[in-house]
Amino acid sequence: MAGKRVIIKDDRVPAVLRRHPWVLSSSVMMVESGVGHGDVVDVVTKDGQFLARGIYNKKSRIRVRLYTWDENELLDRDFWRARIVRAVELREQLGYLDPEGACRLVFSEGDALSGLIVDRYGPYLVFQPTAFGLAERLSTFTEIFKEILGPKGILVRKDPAASAAEGFELPEGVLFGEVPEVVTIVEHGIRHRVDLRKGQKTGFYLDQRENRLAAARYLAGRRILDLYCYTGGFSLTAAIRGQARSIEAVDSSDRALQLAREVSSDHGIANIVFLEAEVFPLLEKYVAEGRKFEGVILDPPRFASRRGQIAQALRAYHFVNRLAVSLLEPGGILVSCSCSGRVSRAEFMQVLFGVAEKTGRTIQVLEQRGAAPDHPVNVFCPETDYLKCFICRVI
């Protein structure tokens, strides 16, 4: 079943056979004539041996995204439908298809669909393609999801960094049906409001679902500072499910805080104060004032999106965690997160080591957590293990 071919360098053949789904431009020996941007291609050895099949992108550092290692599998509608059905079945098994709930239905490489994110918010779906080849197939995915789930509406959101890296433009908007600007979802009994059109990511940090509940157990009865709180996911869960004594929740987005205040009001919560501020100067101010808390939550935005930013990101993580530890009373709980996939768990642990060394405090790691199970880690693609959530006791 010969097709258009991309020939791989000899020393990169093992990486393809290990089923990592990316073929980088530096791994390509030759692209045969006739291969066009967005074409389905066979990745082969210089001797013509079939290795894998994927989609070619002449503009991206990821030159080919791989989807199958079976020469008899075509990347046709039936193929995409089978992959999507398999992904949706996992969420059903997890109990994440509650009609009022939310979850990630497709997690890119985690579901062997490199370059496609699909999130469900009640009866609405949000597509976020991060690869040119799959952005070009959104009409196919729309029809497949209409068949499988029958959503009321499907919205497409752009990831600016990904679309720039992949070299494609993507108009945002409704692909099918009607999608409101703000929807209400239920998570752990809390009715969160989600801004689907302008909120971060696709509107909500679905990957922290189980971590919010875990953190709430440790923060019960405590005075808490929640930094980078966004729409209050950790704070609201700590207040309602963890019975925290008091919470000061901080974010720089007035829009996100307004949604958090509305949810807090809906649930009759009186012990959360939402504060609009930049975290770094606020932390320095609180340390100078000698403020103390019994729990601090740190869930900052991604500090490193490229390999060249890792050193800078590690310094930022050290700085914010050191100040957070300085605000904790002995026996306090630190919930420290990193969504920077470029920063490994070992490097993040080393950050905490440096913080303990610098502050003279003992940090006991009680739990090392990752993303919720609707963000499965593909063992062939270590990059899918991107989220770190360390729950610590600081003495």
Side-chain angles (χ1 to χ4, degrees), residues 200-215:
Q200 296 178 26
K201 297 185 114 175
T202 63
F204 198 63
Y205 287 96
L206 298 169
D207 51 2
Q208 294 279 26
R209 173 189 185 124
E210 307 303 340
N211 297 334
R212 286 187 275 267
L213 194 59

Side-chain angles (χ1 to χ4, degrees), residues 97-172:
L97 295 188
D98 182 319
E100 293 186 301
C103 71
R104 176 147 293 181
L105 287 175
V106 175
F107 178 44
S108 194
E109 290 83 7
D111 286 298
L113 285 163
S114 178
L116 181 64
I117 297 292
V118 180
D119 290 339
R120 182 186 70 87
Y121 295 95
Y124 307 102
L125 302 182
V126 181
F127 289 176
Q128 191 173 59
T130 58
F132 168 75
L134 297 200
E136 291 288 290
R137 290 162 171 78
L138 285 186
S139 60
T140 297
F141 300 141
T142 297
E143 293 306 312
I144 290 170
F145 275 102
K146 283 166 64 177
E147 291 173 11
I148 295 171
L149 293 177
K152 287 185 177 180
I154 299 175
L155 178 74
V156 63
R157 290 282 306 270
K158 181 172 73 172
D159 182 323
S163 58
E166 286 281 302
F168 69 89
E169 289 295 327
L170 182 70
E172 296 185 301

Side-chain angles (χ1 to χ4, degrees), residues 237-278:
T237 308
I240 295 173
R241 298 301 300 271
Q243 300 295 306
R245 193 192 319 175
S246 65
I247 304 171
E248 185 174 323
V250 180
D251 201 88
S252 61
S253 169
D254 176 66
R255 173 61 173 160
L257 291 174
Q258 183 56 38
L259 292 175
R261 291 187 185 104
E262 290 172 7
V263 176
S264 181
S265 176
D266 290 346
H267 285 272
I269 301 170
N271 64 341
I272 305 180
V273 175
F274 293 99
L275 175 64
E276 182 183 353
E278 295 292 339

Side-chain angles (χ1 to χ4, degrees), residues 158-188:
K158 181 172 73 172
D159 182 323
S163 58
E166 286 281 302
F168 69 89
E169 289 295 327
L170 182 70
E172 296 185 301
V174 176
L175 293 176
F176 162 75
E178 296 182 355
V179 181
E181 184 171 326
V182 176
V183 301
T184 298
I185 61 164
V186 178
E187 179 189 273
H188 308 314

Side-chain angles (χ1 to χ4, degrees), residues 13-256:
V13 169
V16 176
L17 293 176
R18 286 196 295 268
R19 304 185 73 159
H20 193 286
W22 304 341
V23 175
L24 303 184
S25 57
S26 58
S27 301
V28 174
M29 174 183 291
M30 187 180 76
V31 179
E32 290 189 339
S33 61
V35 173
H37 188 47
D39 281 351
V40 172
V41 296
D42 289 349
V43 172
V44 302
T45 68
K46 66 181 181 184
D47 298 324
Q49 177 187 348
F50 175 88
L51 298 173
R53 181 166 291 137
I55 298 176
Y56 179 74
N57 185 337
K58 69 178 182 181
K59 298 180 180 179
S60 173
R61 179 171 171 264
I62 303 176
R63 199 52 51 93
V64 185
R65 289 180 185 261
L66 303 175
Y67 298 100
T68 181
W69 283 255
D70 182 349
E71 191 172 4
N72 295 314
E73 272 192 316
L74 300 178
L75 302 190
D76 56 13
R77 189 184 191 280
D78 289 343
F79 174 87
W80 301 118
R81 192 182 194 281
R83 285 285 167 93
I84 289 169
V85 166
R86 188 173 74 182
V88 172
E89 285 177 345
L90 170 63
R91 281 67 184 178
E92 186 173 23
Q93 292 164 6
L94 293 170
Y96 280 8
L97 295 188
D98 182 319
E100 293 186 301
C103 71
R104 176 147 293 181
L105 287 175
V106 175
F107 178 44
S108 194
E109 290 83 7
D111 286 298
L113 285 163
S114 178
L116 181 64
I117 297 292
V118 180
D119 290 339
R120 182 186 70 87
Y121 295 95
Y124 307 102
L125 302 182
V126 181
F127 289 176
Q128 191 173 59
T130 58
F132 168 75
L134 297 200
E136 291 288 290
R137 290 162 171 78
L138 285 186
S139 60
T140 297
F141 300 141
T142 297
E143 293 306 312
I144 290 170
F145 275 102
K146 283 166 64 177
E147 291 173 11
I148 295 171
L149 293 177
K152 287 185 177 180
I154 299 175
L155 178 74
V156 63
R157 290 282 306 270
K158 181 172 73 172
D159 182 323
S163 58
E166 286 281 302
F168 69 89
E169 289 295 327
L170 182 70
E172 296 185 301
V174 176
L175 293 176
F176 162 75
E178 296 182 355
V179 181
E181 184 171 326
V182 176
V183 301
T184 298
I185 61 164
V186 178
E187 179 189 273
H188 308 314
I190 303 166
R191 300 187 66 81
H192 292 280
R193 297 189 185 187
V194 181
D195 185 347
L196 294 184
R197 297 173 188 264
K198 297 180 181 178
Q200 296 178 26
K201 297 185 114 175
T202 63
F204 198 63
Y205 287 96
L206 298 169
D207 51 2
Q208 294 279 26
R209 173 189 185 124
E210 307 303 340
N211 297 334
R212 286 187 275 267
L213 194 59
R217 293 194 294 267
Y218 289 95
L219 296 169
R222 293 174 180 264
R223 291 178 292 104
I224 300 164
L225 177 63
D226 181 8
L227 302 166
Y228 307 100
C229 72
Y230 187 45
T231 55
F234 274 101
S235 289
L236 292 162
T237 308
I240 295 173
R241 298 301 300 271
Q243 300 295 306
R245 193 192 319 175
S246 65
I247 304 171
E248 185 174 323
V250 180
D251 201 88
S252 61
S253 169
D254 176 66
R255 173 61 173 160

